[in-house]
C-alpha cells in the first residue's frame, strides 16, 4: 500500500512518465555578508557551520551550535536569525577563564533535538569526532553535555551530520569515511543507524560520486569526492545537500604553509533525494544550489558545510552554511 505522504518532486523517483515538461532547479538566495564571523579570541580566525540550528519552542528564539578551532562547540541565540548573541555561559574554560560561549569540545558537532526521548536529561543528542572515532553525548538543555558511557560509537573521524527518521525514530549518522571508487580512494558518505544512540549498525556506503561527477577530471589526481552531506526529513522522504569536492591538484610539499591542506579544489553544494536515507537520487541538472559569490568575497572560494538542520521562518526555509574565501587547499591566510 502507498503511504499517505506527499512525494518529493526534486527527482524522478515518483514519476511514471513525463512529456512536455522540464525540471528547473532554483539556486537558493544568499546574503551579501555573513551573519556570523569570528569575533572572540576562542573563535580564532574562522568559525564553521559544522553544527545545528533550532527554533526554541517556548521563546521562539533561534539556537545555534557552531564550531571553531581547536574543536570548540559554541552556542549563540538570535531573535531574527541574522544577528547572533554570544552569551557568557561559564561552562568550559578558555585560557583559564570560562567567560565565553563554549559548551563542549569535539569536531564537527551535530546536534539533535530529540522530541521522542522520554528521558529529559537526554533531550539533546550530539555526534562529533575526536581521538580517531565518532563520539556521542547527551544534554538536558543543549549546553551542559555528558559523554555516553560507550565511546567511540563509530570508527574513523572527521565530518558527520545527524538526522532522525520521522517514521521510525531511528537515529541516522551520515558520516565521512574513505572508500575506493573507480580506482581512487575517496571521501564518501556512509550511513549507520541506531535506536539507542549507543549501538549502531554496520555502516553502509550510501553516497559517492558517479561517472558524471568525474566527467570534468583529467589526469592522475583529479576526481570528485563528497566532503559531507546534511540530510533533512521532508515530505515522504529525505533531502540531502552533499558537499561535492572537485579535487583539482595536490599542493607540492614545498608550497604548503602551516595548517594548509595539500588537497586543493572548490567545494559546492548540490541536491539529492531519498525515500529511505539509503538509496539516493540526484536532481538534474546538477546545479550548485547554494551559489558561490564573486572571487574575493567571503563565500567566493568554497561552500564547505551546512547546518545539520534547516529552520522555517515564515514561508521560507533557512539553511546556514560555511563560506570560505579560497578553495579547500588555499593557504592560511587568506583562507
Amino acid at each position: 500500500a502507498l503511504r499517505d505522504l506527499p512525494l518529493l518532486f526534486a527527482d524522478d523517483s515518483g514519476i511514471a512518465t513525463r512529456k512536455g515538461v522540464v525540471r528547473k532547479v532554483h539556486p537558493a538566495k544568499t546574503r551579501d555578508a555573513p551573519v556570523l564571523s569570528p569575533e572572540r579570541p576562542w573563535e580564532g580566525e574562522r568559525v564553521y557551520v559544522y553544527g545545528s540550528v533550532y527554533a526554541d519552542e517556548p521563546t521562539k528564539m533561534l539556537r545555534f551550535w557552531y564550531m571553531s578551532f581547536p574543536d570548540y562547540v559554541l552556542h549563540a541565540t538570535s531573535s531574527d536569525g541574522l544577528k547572533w548573541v554570544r552569551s557568557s555561559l561559564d561552562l568550559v574554560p578558555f585560557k583559564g577563564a570560562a567567560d565565553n560561549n563554549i559548551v563542549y569540545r569535539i569536531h564537527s558537532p551535530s546536534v539533535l533535538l530529540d522530541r521522542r526521548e522520554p528521558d529529559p536529561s537526554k533531550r539533546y543528542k550530539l555526534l562529533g569526532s575526536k581521538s580517531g572515532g565518532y563520539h556521542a553525548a547527551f544534554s538536558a538543555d543543549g549546553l551542559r553535555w555528558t559523554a555516553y558511557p560507550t565511546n567511540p560509537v563509530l570508527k574513523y573521524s572527521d565530518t558527520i551530520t545527524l538526522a532522525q527518521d520521522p517514521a521510525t525514530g531511528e537515529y541516522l549518522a551520515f558520516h565521512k569515511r574513505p572508500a575506493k571508487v573507480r580506482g581512487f580512494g575517496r571521501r564518501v558518505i556512509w550511513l549507520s543507524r541506531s535506536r539507542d544512540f549507543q549501538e549502531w549498525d554496520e555502516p553502509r556506503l550510501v553516497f559517492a560520486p558517479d561517472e558524471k561527477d568525474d566527467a570534468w577530471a583529467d589526469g592522475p589526481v583529479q576526481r570528485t569526492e563528497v566532503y559531507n552531506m546534511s540530510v533533512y526529513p521532508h515530505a515522504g522522504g529525505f533531502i540531502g545537500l552533499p558537499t561535492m569536492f572537485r579535487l583539482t591538484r595536490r599542493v607540492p610539499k614545498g608550497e604548503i604553509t602551516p595548517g594548509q591542506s595539500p588537497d586543493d579544489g572548490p567545494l559546492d553544494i548540490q541536491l539529492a533525494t531519498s525515500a529511505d536515507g539509503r538509496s539516493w537520487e540526484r536532481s538534474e541538472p546538477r546545479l550548485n544550489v547554494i551559489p558561490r559569490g564573486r572571487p574575493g568575497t567571503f563565500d567566493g572560494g568554497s561552500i564547505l558545510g551546512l547546518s545539520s538542520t534547516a529552520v522555517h521562518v515564515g514561508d521560507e526555509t533557512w539553511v546556514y552554511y560555511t563560506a570560505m574565501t579560497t578553495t579547500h587547499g588555499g593557504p592560511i591566510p587568506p583562507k
Side-chain angles (χ1 to χ4, degrees):
L2 293 176
R3 291 183 298 170
D4 186 20
L5 290 171
L7 287 172
L8 291 167
F9 277 96
D11 62 46
D12 289 345
S13 60
I15 300 173
T17 60
R18 176 172 77 174
K19 183 178 180 180
V21 295
V22 295
R23 172 177 289 106
K24 181 174 178 60
V25 177
H26 297 272
K29 180 181 178 181
T30 60
R31 297 179 59 82
D32 294 331
V35 299
L36 193 82
S37 298
E39 297 176 356
R40 308 295 170 83
W42 50 89
E43 292 177 327
E45 295 179 350
R46 287 175 287 161
V47 289
Y48 281 77
V49 190
Y50 291 141
S52 311
V53 182
Y54 282 98
D56 187 65
E57 293 172 349
T59 66
K60 305 302 180 184
M61 297 282 286
L62 294 184
R63 303 183 67 189
F64 191 7
W65 290 263
Y66 62 105
M67 191 191 89
S68 69
F69 285 103
D71 298 343
Y72 287 120
V73 184
L74 311 174
H75 180 266
T77 58
S78 175
S79 60
D80 62 4
L82 305 177
K83 300 180 181 67
W84 292 91
V85 177
R86 302 158 166 90
S87 298
S88 178
L89 301 171
D90 294 318
L91 295 174
V92 179
F94 174 80
K95 293 186 176 180
D99 183 15
N100 57 57
N101 65 325
I102 304 171
V103 298
Y104 203 54
R105 288 199 70 171
I106 204 164
H107 184 75
S108 186
S110 187
V111 174
L112 173 71
L113 173 56
D114 187 0
R115 295 183 173 89
R116 293 171 176 249
E117 174 59 63
D119 183 349
S121 72
K122 297 179 179 178
R123 187 167 183 252
Y124 289 88
K125 295 177 173 64
L126 178 148
L127 284 179
S129 122
K130 65 179 178 179
S131 305
Y134 291 105
H135 290 239
F138 61 89
S139 173
D141 57 7
L143 302 177
R144 298 159 184 83
W145 292 92
T146 302
Y148 270 89
T150 302
N151 271 310
V153 293
L154 292 167
K155 296 179 180 178
Y156 295 93
S157 62
D158 202 2
T159 61
I160 188 167
T161 56
L162 177 60
Q164 190 171 32
D165 189 322
T168 66
E170 283 185 305
Y171 308 109
L172 312 177
F174 295 90
H175 57 291
K176 183 198 297 183
R177 60 168 64 194
K180 194 166 187 177
V181 179
R182 295 188 304 282
F184 287 111
R186 311 188 193 220
R187 301 168 174 90
V188 290
I189 304 302
W190 296 66
L191 169 64
S192 182
R193 308 169 76 100
S194 174
R195 291 192 174 275
D196 63 2
F197 224 69
Q198 279 283 261
E199 298 295 328
W200 295 79
D201 68 7
E202 187 66 24
R204 59 189 292 178
L205 175 61
V206 294
F207 195 91
D210 60 17
E211 292 87 349
K212 190 172 183 178
D213 291 314
D214 278 344
W216 65 273
D218 182 21
V221 171
Q222 293 186 342
R223 58 187 180 269
T224 298
E225 301 185 353
V226 188
Y227 210 82
N228 56 294
M229 182 167 72
S230 292
V231 175
Y232 309 141
H234 183 73
F238 301 87
I239 287 179
L241 294 174
T243 304
M244 308 304 293
F245 177 26
R246 282 182 289 145
L247 202 162
T248 58
R249 70 179 188 121
R250 299 270 189 189
V251 181
K253 287 184 178 180
E255 297 179 13
I256 296 177
T257 58
Q260 182 180 4
S261 170
D263 293 348
D264 196 17
L267 301 106
D268 289 292
I269 309 301
Q270 294 188 1
L271 182 64
T273 61
S274 174
D276 58 8
R278 298 182 179 93
S279 300
W280 289 87
E281 299 284 339
R282 306 290 288 277
S283 287
E284 302 288 350
R286 298 183 184 182
L287 300 183
N288 299 333
V289 294
I290 300 181
R292 276 181 277 150
R294 299 181 309 278
T297 57
F298 79 99
D299 57 356
S302 294
I303 310 298
L304 179 59
L306 309 176
S307 54
S308 65
T309 55
V311 292
H312 305 291
V313 182
D315 60 356
E316 296 181 343
T317 296
W318 291 7
V319 174
Y320 290 83
Y321 65 93
T322 305
M324 294 203 302
T325 54
T326 72
T327 51
H328 180 268
I332 306 171
K335 180 182 178 183

